[in-house]
Amino acid sequence: MAVSRPEPQRGHRLPFGAGRTRVFADGRLPAPESPGQRLLIHAAALIALAITTAYLVWRVAAGTIDLAWWWVAVPLFLVELHNAFGLGLFTVALWSMDGSSRPPLFRRHSGPAPRIAVLIPTYNEPQEVLLPTIAAAVALTPAHETWVLDDGRRPEIRRLAESLGARYLDRPDNRHAKAGNLNHALDVVEADIVAVLDADHVPTARFLSATLPYFDDPEIAFVQTPQDFYNLESFEHEHRGDGQPFNEEAVFYRVIAPAKSRWSAPFWCGTCALVRVSALRSVGGVATDSVTEDIETTIRLYRRGWRGAYHNEVLARGLAPDDAAAYLLQRHRWALGAMQVLRGENPLFGPGLDLGQRVAFMTTLFGWFDSWRTLAFILIPLAVVATGAVPIAAPGAVFGPLFALTLSSQFIALRLLARGRYPPLLSLLFEMLRMPAVLPATLALVTPGREHRFEVTPKGANPAGRARIRVPRLLSVLAAASAGGLVWFTATLAGLTPIRYGEPWAAIGAACFLAGNLALLLAAIGRIRSPRFSGNRRVSVRLPIVFPARIGQAPARLRDLSVTGARVDVPTAMAPAEGAQVVLELTLPDGRARLASQVRRSIGSDEGSQELGLAFAPDQEREVARLAVAVFGPDDGPGPAVWPAEARDGLTWLGESNLAAR
């Protein structure tokens, strides 16, 4: 979060990993927008809407929809209407970002303090994923109970939970998946407020203390915080040119979701949230009629008169999908759940919601139909190039500039409304990637009789190892068709095909679109097939943390760390042999940590040091838990909140000035 690097000062305590560049995007509460920023965003949005409206009026009034080619002309106009409608919704939804409420001062009323429980539902997540979540949850303040809700009914998870100070709960069946798991817990756990954390979402130290004050308002049913992730090499992460990590979900969790507070319509997103138990009981518990139980429950809460709050500060980080298969599975489930909610709860026209809430729900649910627009923008240019169709009854010198002006104004407005979290090429790439998962899911809106099962997004190591993920057939077919269309276009210009382009400008424009689409499709296919995203081969994520350590009598420098091992540098003359049993010592805020380890790998360097790959010995859960709390607990990224003076052991070899400069 913070990018400043404090200089070491004698006797002072510094953050764990001080001196390294922060790897996470800024997770703090955003500062209020300046009047100048707000004016620029509003002006760009209104100008884009005005240009779009004028363009669409011209398209109709000037008779530019050529009905002789209606099968291309009408779909093109419908896609343009879709763009305009989406821009309008986006403008209304994101007009102000300062509607996101900040926590009030917590006023202690007479009577007992609320009973708090942290619930961690799990099904098949491995111990290495669960351990940091449980450990960090147990360490939270104020006083609370932590419950592990295990639908996998695994004895080893019971032992892990109890060894870390959490309570364990299972049930006889897995009816209604996560929603059923939570509802079963509500019948057992005695609490007034429950915090819900997915098995992979590790809370920071302020997770409870920053959100509980909202519940001083008796009408607040839930407080949602953003989802963020610590595996920054996941399928949905990319490194931007400005050095900030891009995550496809950030535009929702840091912009769209908090902006809904302006309409009194934030969503409960299923994890990283606190919920009032009496509110859940008033609507019959967590909804079980869709695979996205959170948004469905939110609608029911609003219809009962409850309110929600969104605290736009990252207070927990989890695991994003590691590969394309997990990514597509997750997006399919979310899109499918949106269709089930549209059909079952009808938030657009059903009773009990105000206009602002309907607009807020429409913005999110309507967005899943963008994949049809993406498909149309691929197929329409292909049809024009393949058949010579001219869907525009207007001179190219007139239509071309107007179309480009409209599209570019929309693009600029969307970029500004998204507050910089909508990088152009990456956003278009992920639109292509989502399409094979979202398109079939949207069909559930018209197939209500089909049964849909909740599928958990895989976490942890992939049993398939380095096996490449199969590319969705839709992407392969569209890429092949686009490449064939460009070949056909070139051959037609050379007079080698039976058709002739009556309006060459239309075919040339379509071919340019086709080339851009092909580039995006090939990039999407390449990303899916990349060895970088061929599944998670490790049982835990390694975090790049630079910190002084010791191995026996040797000073060492920690380079990265996970709950199963570490990578360290030691002076070559003092390096243990490969296969040796050693003890890694770290000084944490609560004292020294000693982790029995085995040297699995030893690699020499030209700098007089040896790089060691260490694997932690088994049966050290409590010691590893201390490490996990120190790493994940601070609110500004991995590393403990303070660096005790004793941690300066080993700085003689590392060099204080070098560490400070890193």
Side-chain angles (χ1 to χ4, degrees), residues 1 28 55 97 115 153 182 207 238 275 291 320 373 413 426 438 465 477 484 636:
M1 190 169 75
R28 293 170 297 183
Y55 169 79
M97 283 294 297
R115 297 167 299 174
R153 295 175 284 280
L182 291 172
F207 178 68
E238 194 54 75
V275 190
V291 295
R373 177 199 60 191
L426 284 173
V438 172
V477 169
D636 61 346

Side-chain angles (χ1 to χ4, degrees), residues 101 219-224 261 264-267 302 306-310:
S101 57
E219 295 183 355
I220 290 293
F222 66 89
V223 180
Q224 180 65 52
S261 294
S264 301
F267 296 166
Y302 286 152
W306 292 97
R307 296 191 297 112
Y310 195 92

Side-chain angles (χ1 to χ4, degrees), residues 444-529:
L445 191 62
V446 293
T447 57
R450 185 178 176 186
E451 184 73 20
H452 298 285
R453 185 170 61 90
F454 185 96
E455 296 185 81
V456 178
T457 306
K459 301 292 193 305
N462 179 6
R466 291 183 174 270
R468 290 186 178 179
I469 306 300
R470 179 178 298 177
V471 176
R473 184 174 300 175
L474 177 63
L475 295 183
S476 299
V477 169
L478 291 175
S482 298
L486 289 175
V487 173
W488 179 266
F489 168 74
T490 304
T492 301
L493 290 183
L496 301 178
T497 70
I499 70 168
R500 296 292 180 268
Y501 295 134
E503 294 287 351
W505 66 266
I508 293 171
C512 291
F513 251 90
L514 207 57
N517 290 335
L518 178 60
L520 287 169
L521 286 165
L522 291 177
I525 292 171
R527 190 176 186 86
I528 291 170
R529 293 186 59 81

